[in-house]
């Protein structure tokens, strides 16, 4: 059963909610996917059943084609926000962590070709491993966070929040204009280039600036 944790592994007294995500928020990822910049933020949701602890072995589907990594900065909310201002969003953030938006890429391609939504590719159980969270007051600048994902000792993704098309606080305010974000919800803020298939047996290291390091592995 997933529980929000801080970086020391202590439980955070917040309910477990949904995960609100944005697609196409880094130009280099848009280019590698041969996609286009969206006129407005491309939003989708993952249910709470998608959440799991990134620090524990990651179980991925092995019978639905490739399962790709997408490392992202994750934002944990401590208060609900609805039609919020940017100041209200800042006041609602508990802290910052890392999340993997695991994606069944072959399934996603088929769904796109049929003009169907992405949930089967993005929202399956355990599709959102997350790290522990650091409190927001330990973050100097949300738009100056660097994060990396290494697979088997080789860097696959390297991102910098300064390169986001939609910045973190305005993005969450925008989301809240359409649907309420609740206490205990997590917002994933987009992935940079370097997505690729994960294989059973892979070792993973995910880092956020000098704040978070998670080591884990992929299992069936």
């Amino acid at each position: 059963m997933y529980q929000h944790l801080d970086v020391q592994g202590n439980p955070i007294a917040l309910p477990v909610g949904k995960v609100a995500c944005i697609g196409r928020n880094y130009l280099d990822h848009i280019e590698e996917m041969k996609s286009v910049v969206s006129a407005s933020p491309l939003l989708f949701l993952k249910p709470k059943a998608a959440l799991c602890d990134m620090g524990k072995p990651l179980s991925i589907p092995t019978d639905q084609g490739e399962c790709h990594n997408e490392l992202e900065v994750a934002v944990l909310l401590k208060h609900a926000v609805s039609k919020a201002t940017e100041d209200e969003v800042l006041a609602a953030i508990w802290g910052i962590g890392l999340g993997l938006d695991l994606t069944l890429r072959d399934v996603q391609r088929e769904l796109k070709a049929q003009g169907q939504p992405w949930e089967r590719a993005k929202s399956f159980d355990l599709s959102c491993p997350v790290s522990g969270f650091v409190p927001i007051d330990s973050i100097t600048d949300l738009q100056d966070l660097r994060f990396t994902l290494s697979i088997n000792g080789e860097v696959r993704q390297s991102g910098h929040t300064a390169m986001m098309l939609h910045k973190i606080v305005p993005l969450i305010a925008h989301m809240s204009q359409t649907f309420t974000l609740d206490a205990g919800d997590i917002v994933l803020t987009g992935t940079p280039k370097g997505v690729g298939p994960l294989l059973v047996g892979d070792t993973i290291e995910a880092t956020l600036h000098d704040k978070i390091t998670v080591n884990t592995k992929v299992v069936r």
Side-chain angles (χ1 to χ4, degrees), residues 31-66:
E31 291 171 345
E32 78 172 341
M33 297 301 292
K34 298 180 174 58
S35 193
V36 296
V37 176
S38 301
S40 60
L42 176 60
L43 307 181
F44 61 96
L45 300 175
K46 289 176 179 269
K48 66 181 182 180
L51 286 163
C52 60
D53 184 346
M54 189 189 292
K56 296 179 179 179
L58 306 184
S59 177
I60 64 171
T62 57
D63 58 352
Q64 299 184 67
E66 292 184 348

Side-chain angles (χ1 to χ4, degrees), residues 32-146:
E32 78 172 341
M33 297 301 292
K34 298 180 174 58
S35 193
V36 296
V37 176
S38 301
S40 60
L42 176 60
L43 307 181
F44 61 96
L45 300 175
K46 289 176 179 269
K48 66 181 182 180
L51 286 163
C52 60
D53 184 346
M54 189 189 292
K56 296 179 179 179
L58 306 184
S59 177
I60 64 171
T62 57
D63 58 352
Q64 299 184 67
E66 292 184 348
C67 182
H68 281 203
N69 59 270
E70 295 192 11
L71 186 68
E72 315 195 6
V73 172
V75 181
L76 176 63
L77 299 179
K78 62 183 177 183
H79 301 313
V81 289
S82 177
K83 297 180 172 51
T85 65
E86 293 185 15
D87 285 344
E88 289 169 336
V89 168
L90 271 173
I93 295 175
W94 189 96
I96 303 298
L98 291 168
L100 276 169
D101 172 19
L102 298 181
T103 303
L104 296 174
R105 193 67 70 198
D106 296 327
V107 174
Q108 186 187 40
R109 290 190 188 103
E110 292 174 5
L111 292 169
K112 284 182 176 180
Q114 297 169 24
Q116 295 185 14
W118 298 354
E119 276 77 5
R120 293 179 186 273
K122 290 278 194 178
S123 303
F124 54 93
D125 286 358
L126 309 181
S127 64
C128 189
V130 293
S131 72
F133 291 85
V134 295
I136 186 63
D137 60 10
S138 69
I139 302 295
T140 303
D141 185 350
L142 286 172
Q143 297 309 145
D144 187 24
L145 295 174
R146 297 180 185 274

Side-chain angles (χ1 to χ4, degrees), residues 191-213:
T191 199
K193 71 176 181 179
V195 304
L198 295 173
L199 303 174
V200 172
D202 281 347
T203 59
I204 294 174
E205 181 178 81
T207 66
L208 175 66
H209 224 62
D210 57 352
K211 304 291 186 183
I212 298 171
T213 300

